[in-house]
Amino acid sequence: AIRMYSFVPLAYIFCVFYTASCRYANETEEAQFLRLITSQATKGTPHERMVNNTVYIYLELYQLVDVDEKQGLLTAKFWYFCYYYIDSVRWNVTENQITVVQLPKDTFWVPDIVGFEIAQVMDTDSIEYQAVFPNGLIATESSMKNWKISCGFDVQRFPRDESECNISLGQWYSRSLSYNLKYERMMYPEDAMSLRFFSPNDQWELVGAPIVTETANPDSNKDDNQRLSVVFSIRIRRRSQYFMNVLVVPTVTISILSCLTFAIPAESGEKISLAITILLSQVVNLLVLNDILPSSSLYFPLLGQYALLTITLISASVISAVFVINIHNMDERRKIPKWINTVLRSPMLSMIGVRPLSGRRVRPQISQGSVATLTENDATPVESIAAKIENPEERATWMQVATLFDRIQLIVYSVIILAVSIDFLARIKGN
């Protein structure tokens, strides 16, 4: 009985090894290959086994979803791909006919790469596995990303403005001593993001998407202790036709129409009402512009500057209209200054639509009845009667003075408004 019990442990060990051998013997060639690849994930430090000790990232722009200038956010959709190479997982496709191996997502080491300008990650369509390819490429992450990116928009030349937004994808807690970070141009060898599947936006035009590799946030003077990052730049230009039609053209047109304030006669009673109406319309345009653009003092738009300047000029025209109406209604018994009479006699006034005064004396026409009446009351001869009632030289009236001021202000104001408008349109057009 004692001898019999001594063989029990040996029998148990034999059964264990026999079961294991049977399991591996019945295991398919594909399963054995998969187990072999998986075992490489736990063998040594990944940094020591990576080819050139380098991690590669690939970014492809699919769509500009939204641009929010007020919040300083650009929403875009990308295809993000992160991978590296390990020689020990290479295999020959012709031997086992396996072109790709899919493993659970955390099987191989995942680099600590983050986006520094990403304010929010929206819906992400990610592939929940890691892929290993025959050339030793290990794709640790492959997914469609919807990112909200913090961005400063230069709206100075609105609505023909251009802006540039940067995305920095770099190391978080690792440094260049751990591994290198590069952008590998897989099927798109240019120094720019791939745009093969880019979908155009109806409000913004993509100017370019260049790539700049740089070193950021150095922690010391040593080159091997720096945080590496790859900077992707997105340059966009606003499609200006809509805002030119609904905002710029009405603003400029209303500003030019304000010149009519000085062309309306003072006796009509509509000078001030027209000026105030135009002033209010420009204020409304400025408020609409404020709702569209960010509240930034760094990039105040030229359209806003133009609207403020025209509001100031139109306010001055309201004051001028009040001044002209007061002159028009001035008491006729009040004497007009001599220099104004001199100006009103200038023949140059006809060029601005004002009739110049005549400097000759006017002899009135006297009827026979008037002569008879005068001779009965006065013994003075008839020839001397006309000399006594001869009128003095023609003098100006306050209404003529008001008309003169209106014409002069119309010319000066029109020149200023046209010069400001032409300069504004030339500056937003740019080169």
Side-chain angles (χ1 to χ4, degrees):
I2 297 176
R3 291 180 181 179
M4 186 175 177
Y5 285 115
S6 62
F7 286 105
V8 172
L10 295 176
Y12 176 76
I13 296 173
F14 174 76
C15 291
V16 170
F17 278 100
Y18 178 77
T19 304
S21 62
C22 291
R23 181 166 61 89
Y24 288 116
N26 295 329
E27 191 176 34
T28 63
E29 181 180 356
E30 182 177 350
Q32 292 179 7
F33 179 79
L34 181 61
R35 180 171 50 82
L36 178 62
I37 293 297
T38 307
S39 66
Q40 297 295 324
T42 59
K43 192 176 291 186
T45 306
H47 304 163
E48 299 174 353
R49 297 183 295 127
M50 287 191 303
V51 177
N52 298 325
N53 195 29
T54 302
V55 173
Y56 300 93
I57 56 177
Y58 176 78
L59 200 64
E60 185 167 334
L61 181 59
Y62 269 39
Q63 184 182 9
L64 297 176
V65 180
D66 182 45
V67 178
D68 188 350
E69 300 102 316
K70 294 286 289 184
Q71 301 296 329
L73 294 174
L74 167 68
T75 305
K77 182 178 289 188
F78 303 89
W79 180 262
Y80 173 69
F81 196 50
C82 178
Y83 58 97
Y84 52 86
Y85 295 90
I86 294 182
D87 283 331
S88 58
V89 296
R90 296 177 184 267
W91 72 88
N92 192 345
V93 180
T94 58
E95 293 180 358
N96 46 29
Q97 303 300 318
I98 297 177
T99 57
V100 63
V101 175
Q102 297 179 356
L103 301 173
K105 193 167 185 179
D106 296 328
T107 303
F108 283 89
W109 169 75
V110 178
D112 57 323
I113 297 175
V114 296
F116 295 104
E117 287 84 11
I118 298 175
Q120 183 179 355
V121 178
M122 309 295 287
D123 297 334
T124 302
D125 299 326
S126 59
I127 299 175
E128 299 298 327
Y129 57 82
Q130 294 178 339
V132 183
F133 295 88
N135 61 350
L137 187 150
I138 301 175
T140 59
E141 186 171 0
S142 179
S143 59
M144 183 72 72
K145 303 284 189 181
N146 277 1
W147 287 338
K148 280 192 174 183
I149 305 165
S150 298
C151 184
F153 294 94
D154 183 0
V155 295
Q156 188 170 11
R157 292 178 54 236
F158 174 87
R160 299 177 60 88
D161 52 322
E162 295 185 11
S163 297
E164 182 174 348
C165 299
N166 294 328
I167 315 169
S168 299
L169 298 179
Q171 299 168 325
W172 180 239
Y173 55 84
S174 299
R175 297 295 184 268
S176 57
L177 186 62
S178 300
Y179 62 90
N180 297 319
L181 184 63
K182 291 184 179 181
Y183 178 82
E184 186 174 67
R185 294 149 182 85
M186 302 171 65
M187 295 171 288
Y188 199 78
E190 300 181 10
D191 292 332
M193 275 190 288
S194 174
L195 304 175
R196 294 174 301 164
F197 305 105
F198 178 73
S199 177
N201 188 280
D202 59 347
Q203 298 182 15
W204 293 87
E205 176 186 359
L206 182 66
V207 179
I211 300 170
V212 181
T213 304
E214 65 175 17
T215 301
N217 300 326
D219 296 329
S220 68
N221 295 327
K222 298 180 180 180
D223 293 337
D224 57 357
N225 194 25
Q226 295 179 333
R227 181 182 297 165
L228 302 179
S229 63
V230 178
V231 180
F232 300 86
S233 179
I234 300 177
R235 297 173 184 172
I236 55 177
R237 180 192 298 123
R238 191 190 305 271
R239 300 185 188 273
S240 60
Q241 187 64 42
Y242 173 78
F243 289 104
M244 290 291 291
N245 292 339
V246 304
L247 198 58
V248 175
V249 173
T251 301
V252 175
T253 304
I254 291 172
S255 300
I256 295 176
L257 286 177
S258 64
C259 300
L260 298 178
T261 303
F262 302 101
I264 296 178
E267 59 269 17
S268 67
E270 298 294 333
K271 290 177 72 70
I272 296 179
S273 60
L274 175 63
I276 292 179
T277 302
I278 295 176
L279 177 64
L280 294 177
S281 64
Q282 288 292 66
V283 172
V284 170
N285 286 339
L286 189 60
L287 294 176
V288 171
L289 186 64
N290 180 66
D291 291 337
I292 298 173
L293 301 181
S295 304
S296 172
S297 299
L298 296 177
Y299 306 108
F300 192 73
L302 293 174
L303 181 58
Q305 299 177 24
Y306 175 77
L308 286 176
L309 181 58
T310 55
I311 286 174
T312 304
L313 292 174
I314 296 171
S315 301
S317 71
V318 173
I319 298 174
S320 174
V322 174
F323 175 71
V324 169
I325 291 175
N326 285 334
I327 293 178
H328 182 273
N329 297 322
M330 190 76 71
D331 189 355
E332 291 294 337
R333 292 175 296 181
R334 188 170 179 175
K335 186 177 181 181
I336 298 176
K338 292 183 178 180
W339 68 270
I340 295 181
N341 279 286
T342 304
V343 172
L344 287 173
R345 290 192 183 93
S346 173
M348 301 293 291
L349 294 180
S350 58
M351 300 178 61
I352 61 174
V354 178
R355 183 183 66 83
L357 298 178
S358 175
R360 62 184 177 83
R361 295 177 179 273
V362 179
R363 182 180 294 275
Q365 300 293 330
I366 303 176
S367 64
Q368 293 294 332
S370 300
V371 172
T373 304
L374 291 172
T375 53
E376 290 177 359
N377 298 331
D378 193 353
T380 307
V382 175
E383 289 77 6
S384 63
I385 294 175
K388 287 185 178 181
I389 62 175
E390 183 180 9
N391 283 349
E393 63 182 7
E394 184 180 7
R395 291 187 176 274
T397 63
W398 286 110
M399 289 187 293
Q400 292 174 313
V401 175
T403 303
L404 174 63
F405 284 167
D406 253 350
R407 293 297 182 270
I408 294 175
Q409 292 179 99
L410 173 63
I411 294 173
V412 175
Y413 186 87
S414 299
V415 170
I416 294 176
I417 282 292
L418 289 176
V420 170
S421 301
I422 293 173
D423 178 69
F424 160 69
L425 294 175
R427 291 173 67 183
I428 65 170
K429 184 178 180 180
N431 296 328

